[in-house]
Amino acid sequence: MKAVVITTPGDPQVLQVQEVENPEIGDNEVLIRVEAAALNRADTLQRKGFYPPPKGSSPYPGLECSGIIEAVGKDVLRWKVGDQVCALLSGGGYAEKVAVPAGQVLPIPSGVSLRDAASFPEVACTVWSTVFMMSRLSSGETFLVHGGSSGIGTFAIQIAKYQGARVFVTAGSEEKLAVCKDLGADVCINYKTEDFVTRVKEETGGKGVDVILDNIGAAYFQRNIDSLNVDGRLFIIGFQGGNIAEVNLTGLLARRLTVQGAGLRNRSVENKAVIVSEVEKNVWPAIVAGKVKAVVYKCFPLSEAAEAHQLMESSKHVGKILLIP
């Protein structure tokens, strides 16, 4: 089969399509012929050599895909050959075929194309596990997501609104904020022209928001703490603004704050299966109802993976970028 290989750590040009061995499936795995794979920021880190795949995982990038099942392991009960599915991967999505544990596979939601369904697994599992399962965002609370126009952001806005939260976003241009507003964001903040802490305080009567989902890390750490309400929860999922911060901790005690962080890729197969099951139960009905839509910015052929990475690193996109084998 063909797959995108990271020939050496470096810039996007190191990504090359090569002929490689077909993946072998275990007893509790399925083999998917890939219809589309979606890009994630983590893929660019892996390309640079900063985010190696977990032990035993595919060496090729790609953390989510959609496609048609070609083979099933002998212990797989739910899925059969010919099923149209999407899946959460620990790697290997940038290829014509990928092996994946059966518990990380999801049906295609009604009303979503097979191709567009590739845009959901990683963002849905990330946002549901962090914002809802761990930070317990609930109806009537306030929620701030940084990078509102990203793949994570565009999904988080919609599912938080569906769950009854008031949604705040930051983004770096008026065009991106307009998209966020269309998706349901209540308060849209241009981080290049205004201080998000001041705006959050203004919009919440001085209280702050209940939950923040943050992909920036160090550069925003103090400001995130300053933006939280009593019993507020900050969840960190990335370090685009660095990973070492100096912080005044008094707010944590005074307002009983919780700070958490987690990744998805290095979790156990069992843990991922729990998250995927929760996503199917809680998120898939919102997609089927048309309340959460796929936001796909552009599709590239597998042979243009380098161009797709350049687009992602430019941050000009809104939503998800797909690769088509």
Side-chain angles (χ1 to χ4, degrees):
M1 68 168 186
K2 290 184 170 63
V4 172
V5 175
I6 301 168
T7 53
T8 183
D11 67 18
Q13 264 51 53
V14 304
L15 299 173
Q16 291 181 9
V17 174
Q18 295 181 3
E19 198 68 36
V20 300
E21 293 290 314
N22 282 340
E24 293 180 9
I25 58 168
D27 292 343
N28 205 27
E29 292 185 327
V30 302
L31 184 68
I32 297 174
R33 173 171 282 282
V34 176
E35 169 76 16
L39 269 68
N40 288 278
R41 189 72 62 167
D43 305 343
T44 65
L45 296 176
Q46 180 176 338
R47 190 201 74 226
K48 293 172 182 173
F50 300 140
Y51 194 43
K55 197 168 186 243
S57 297
S58 169
Y60 316 121
L63 299 175
E64 58 190 337
C65 74
S66 61
I68 297 171
I69 292 181
E70 273 205 347
V72 297
K74 67 179 176 62
D75 294 341
V76 175
L77 300 174
R78 178 175 180 184
W79 308 107
K80 62 186 188 301
V81 172
D83 283 348
Q84 296 196 357
V85 296
C86 55
L88 177 71
L89 313 171
S90 55
Y94 292 19
E96 291 178 324
K97 299 180 183 186
V98 65
V100 56
Q104 290 164 223
V105 178
L106 287 150
I108 303 298
S110 169
V112 178
S113 71
L114 182 58
R115 178 179 289 190
D116 284 357
S119 69
F120 281 126
E122 175 77 14
V123 292
C125 290
T126 295
V127 173
W128 191 260
S129 63
T130 57
V131 176
F132 296 95
M133 292 170 73
M134 294 176 77
S135 297
R136 305 175 315 283
L137 179 68
S138 54
S139 181
E141 288 194 313
T142 47
F143 170 60
L144 166 63
V145 58
H146 292 299
S149 61
S150 67
I152 291 277
T154 52
F155 177 84
I157 292 166
Q158 297 180 82
I159 195 67
K161 284 299 289 183
Y162 177 76
Q163 294 290 330
R166 184 175 179 223
V167 178
F168 293 59
V169 300
T170 62
S173 74
E174 295 309 311
E175 294 78 16
K176 287 180 174 181
L177 291 170
V179 173
C180 294
K181 192 165 182 52
D182 285 345
L183 290 171
D186 299 287
V187 179
C188 301
I189 305 164
N190 187 331
Y191 67 81
K192 291 182 179 171
T193 61
E194 51 185 331
D195 174 51
F196 71 81
V197 183
T198 305
R199 186 79 188 281
V200 162
K201 289 291 182 63
E202 283 172 1
E203 296 280 352
T204 58
K207 289 180 176 178
V209 293
D210 297 304
V211 175
I212 299 175
L213 183 63
D214 173 61
N215 58 344
I216 301 298
Y220 277 11
F221 194 51
Q222 185 68 60
R223 283 187 282 168
N224 281 331
I225 296 293
D226 295 343
S227 300
L228 283 169
N229 191 7
V230 173
D231 290 318
R233 291 87 78 194
L234 167 61
F235 209 107
I236 299 169
I237 56 167
F239 304 117
Q240 284 174 238
N243 59 359
I244 297 174
E246 186 171 310
V247 63
N248 182 337
L249 296 169
T250 53
L252 270 73
L253 274 67
R255 282 174 281 131
R256 300 189 299 273
L257 306 183
T258 302
V259 179
Q260 298 182 87
L264 190 56
R265 188 183 199 181
N266 290 299
R267 290 173 184 253
S268 69
V269 171
E270 294 78 14
N271 190 240
K272 286 179 182 174
V274 169
I275 294 169
V276 167
S277 173
E278 288 293 309
V279 163
E280 184 174 358
K281 193 162 64 185
N282 294 289
V283 176
W284 255 225
I287 298 172
V288 171
K291 302 296 186 185
V292 175
K293 296 182 169 69
V295 182
V296 176
Y297 185 75
K298 193 170 182 182
C299 298
F300 291 86
L302 210 54
S303 59
E304 292 179 18
E307 288 81 353
H309 271 229
Q310 282 168 340
L311 174 60
M312 171 157 268
E313 290 179 307
S314 77
S315 290
K316 288 177 182 157
H317 64 293
V318 171
K320 298 291 284 189
I321 302 165
L322 303 185
L323 286 178
I324 313 298

